[in-house]
Amino acid sequence: MDYDRLKEEIKKHEGLKLKAYQLEYNTADGPVKEPFHTIGYGHRVKESDKIDVNKEYSYDFVEKLFQIDFSIAKAGADELLGDCHPMAKEVGIECVFVLGKNGFSKFAKTIKLIKDGKTKLASEEIKDSKWYRQVPHRVEEVSRKLREI
C-alpha cells in the first residue's frame, strides 16, 4: 500500500488551513456551524491541543498533527476492517480520518460488505448516508475506489 500517495490524496481533499476555523454546512433550516474548530488538514481541535483559535500556526506544526491523525486513522481502519483488499483499507483509512473510528463504525453494513469482499455493494452502501448528503463529491471518490476493486 502506498501510504505517501494516500496521505497526499487526503491532504488534497481536506485542504490546508493554518488558522483554526469552524466548518459550516447548509441545511434545510439554513447554514449551521460545527460546534468545534478544525485546523491544518482536517484536524479536529480538542481542548488538550491547547490551540489558540485566533493564531496562525506553522506548516510544520499542522503537518505533525496530520501525521498523528493519519496514524490514528490507520489504526482505526485496521481495527474495523481487519485484513481486506489494500484499496478497501485505503478507503477505510480515509473514512476514519474524516469521520473518526466511532463515526465510521456506524457504517456497519458498509464495513461488513468490505470485510466480506463485496466492495461493489459497499461502494453503493456507503452513499446511503448523511455524510454523502453533506459532501457527495468526497463520498463519490471513496465509493469509486471500492467499485474499482
Side-chain angles (χ1 to χ4, degrees), residues 53-99:
V53 298
N54 298 307
K55 178 183 170 187
E56 186 167 299
Y57 287 83
S58 70
Y59 171 80
D60 288 343
F61 178 81
V62 298
E63 180 66 23
K64 286 176 187 170
L65 291 175
F66 175 79
Q67 295 301 331
I68 292 166
D69 290 345
F70 185 86
S71 294
I72 291 168
K74 182 185 174 308
D78 286 344
E79 190 175 323
L80 291 171
L81 297 174
D83 289 333
C84 64
H85 190 282
M87 187 60 69
K89 184 63 68 86
E90 283 189 19
V91 166
I93 293 169
E94 185 159 0
C95 289
V96 172
F97 188 91
V98 174
L99 303 167

Side-chain angles (χ1 to χ4, degrees), residues 109-120:
K109 290 179 185 175
T110 301
I111 291 168
K112 180 166 180 7
L113 289 167
I114 289 171
K115 288 169 96 170
D116 292 345
K118 298 176 180 176
T119 55
K120 286 177 182 36

Side-chain angles (χ1 to χ4, degrees), residues 5-136:
R5 179 190 46 75
L6 177 58
K7 287 177 181 180
E8 291 307 312
E9 285 179 16
I10 292 172
K11 286 178 176 182
K12 181 182 167 197
H13 290 147
E14 290 293 331
L16 173 62
K17 300 281 188 191
L18 298 177
K19 186 175 178 187
Y21 63 97
Q22 287 177 280
L23 292 170
E24 190 171 297
Y25 296 103
N26 290 319
T27 68
D29 298 326
V32 174
K33 282 189 176 185
E34 291 284 4
F36 57 86
H37 285 81
T38 302
I39 193 168
Y41 297 104
H43 174 77
R44 183 176 179 159
V45 175
K46 300 176 287 298
E47 200 171 313
S48 61
D49 291 331
K50 304 217 184 310
I51 288 175
D52 179 347
V53 298
N54 298 307
K55 178 183 170 187
E56 186 167 299
Y57 287 83
S58 70
Y59 171 80
D60 288 343
F61 178 81
V62 298
E63 180 66 23
K64 286 176 187 170
L65 291 175
F66 175 79
Q67 295 301 331
I68 292 166
D69 290 345
F70 185 86
S71 294
I72 291 168
K74 182 185 174 308
D78 286 344
E79 190 175 323
L80 291 171
L81 297 174
D83 289 333
C84 64
H85 190 282
M87 187 60 69
K89 184 63 68 86
E90 283 189 19
V91 166
I93 293 169
E94 185 159 0
C95 289
V96 172
F97 188 91
V98 174
L99 303 167
K101 183 179 142 201
N102 186 47
F104 185 51
S105 72
K106 295 175 182 162
F107 287 66
K109 290 179 185 175
T110 301
I111 291 168
K112 180 166 180 7
L113 289 167
I114 289 171
K115 288 169 96 170
D116 292 345
K118 298 176 180 176
T119 55
K120 286 177 182 36
L121 291 173
S123 76
E124 292 305 313
E125 182 62 36
I126 201 165
K127 294 191 290 186
D128 184 18
S129 65
K130 178 180 175 185
W131 185 35
Y132 181 73
R133 292 186 295 280
Q134 289 174 334
V135 284

